[in-house]
Amino acid sequence: EVQLVESGGGLVQPGGSLRLSCAVSGFTFRTYWMSWVRQAPGKGLEWVANIKEDGSEKYYVDSVKGRFTISRDNAKNSLYLQMNSLRAEDTAVYYCARGYSSGSYWLDYWGQGTLVTVSS
Amino acid sequence: DVVVTQSPLSLPVTLGQPASISCRSSQSLVFSDGDTYLNWFQQRPGQSPRRLIYQVSKRDSGVPDRFSGSGSGTDFTLKISRVEAEDVGVYYCMQATHWPPITFGQGTRLEIK
């Protein structure tokens, strides 16, 4: 059974940092692109970042470039999102999702999400 | 960036009746390999999103066959043949042909009339 479990969310002050983690199981992690998607309270879905299978390519939505860093540890079957210089508008539930692999065309499995609240 | 526009944004439907959601993109979603990377997701209240349809019309495992996807180029549709109570939630289309960024529609809220 495919499982993705996020952790690391919480309350942080503007300008602060937070590191989200996503532990995965039930599939061969190293063969998939992985994604982070967020959802502000009462709003729609917004793609945040993608990372290639081996971590050699990373892509971000413009609003987080230079502040967020996506990474992965294939030995630990884990995905991460380092968030720095956080702003109020980063407040959202952050989901990790299985990205792309041949035969699996983007975001077929999602975690339960972790809430990040940026407020003083 | 490719803009994806859904309509309607709110969809009241009587149980047992059909429902249809439109998704239009600002440019063709046909990729250079000939495939079209247009997905549909369902988000029930309080739950994570769930993918229903990928590559326009391919139904994910476990998705009831009352859900179907169609379309091509820039115009796409999600249809529910007979709405059931468990279908209440928000539906999103998403394109992954021209990325970054991957872009989602605004969402369509389906409710029972």
Side-chain angles (χ1 to χ4, degrees):
Chain A
E1 180 191 6
V2 173
Q3 288 194 322
L4 301 94
V5 180
E6 302 95 335
S7 60
L11 174 64
V12 61
Q13 292 188 338
S17 298
L18 215 51
R19 188 195 196 206
L20 306 183
S21 299
C22 175
V24 314
S25 59
F27 65 98
T28 307
F29 180 66
R30 66 178 185 277
T31 65
Y32 284 82
W33 284 75
M34 293 297 294
S35 303
W36 286 99
V37 177
R38 67 183 178 182
Q39 186 171 36
K43 302 298 185 182
L45 301 171
E46 180 183 38
W47 169 78
V48 174
N50 281 349
I51 186 168
K52 197 176 178 181
E53 299 96 323
D54 61 0
S56 61
E57 295 181 31
K58 304 175 183 181
Y59 300 90
Y60 303 92
V61 66
D62 282 350
S63 59
V64 308
K65 280 181 186 174
R67 300 188 299 122
F68 290 13
T69 302
I70 188 172
S71 63
R72 63 192 297 162
D73 185 333
N74 287 345
K76 294 183 177 179
N77 286 348
S78 293
L79 177 71
Y80 306 102
L81 187 67
Q82 177 67 43
M83 305 186 295
N84 298 331
S85 303
L86 283 161
R87 306 167 180 168
E89 54 265 36
D90 296 317
T91 294
V93 174
Y94 285 74
Y95 297 100
C96 72
R98 192 167 79 168
Y100 179 88
S101 180
S102 176
S104 172
Y105 302 98
W106 292 110
L107 310 185
D108 57 346
Y109 286 93
W110 297 59
Q112 86 287 350
T114 187
L115 176 62
V116 172
T117 303
V118 184
S119 174
S120 55
Chain B
D1 297 356
V2 174
V3 177
V4 180
T5 303
Q6 289 182 229
S7 63
L9 300 185
S10 179
L11 184 56
V13 183
T14 301
L15 285 174
Q17 293 302 301
S20 180
I21 300 170
S22 171
C23 177
R24 291 184 172 171
S25 59
S26 58
Q27 57 184 281
S28 173
L29 297 185
V30 180
F31 190 55
S32 55
D33 63 3
D35 284 331
T36 300
Y37 296 98
L38 187 285
N39 297 348
W40 288 95
F41 297 86
Q42 175 195 61
Q43 188 175 30
R44 291 170 170 154
Q47 295 187 11
S48 301
R50 168 199 183 194
R51 197 178 74 178
L52 300 175
I53 302 285
Y54 64 98
Q55 288 189 295
V56 180
S57 59
K58 297 176 182 177
R59 205 178 304 115
D60 273 285
S61 176
V63 174
D65 60 7
R66 64 178 182 276
F67 289 92
S68 63
S70 63
S72 63
T74 60
D75 289 343
F76 304 92
T77 302
L78 175 70
K79 292 184 178 177
I80 309 174
S81 58
R82 295 173 305 280
V83 170
E84 298 188 5
E86 66 178 18
D87 299 336
V88 166
V90 182
Y91 291 81
Y92 298 92
C93 59
M94 179 216 84
Q95 72 81 25
T97 294
H98 304 288
W99 73 274
I102 288 174
T103 49
F104 290 88
Q106 317 95 300
T108 295
R109 185 172 301 276
L110 186 149
E111 61 180 40
I112 303 301
K113 215 186 277 187

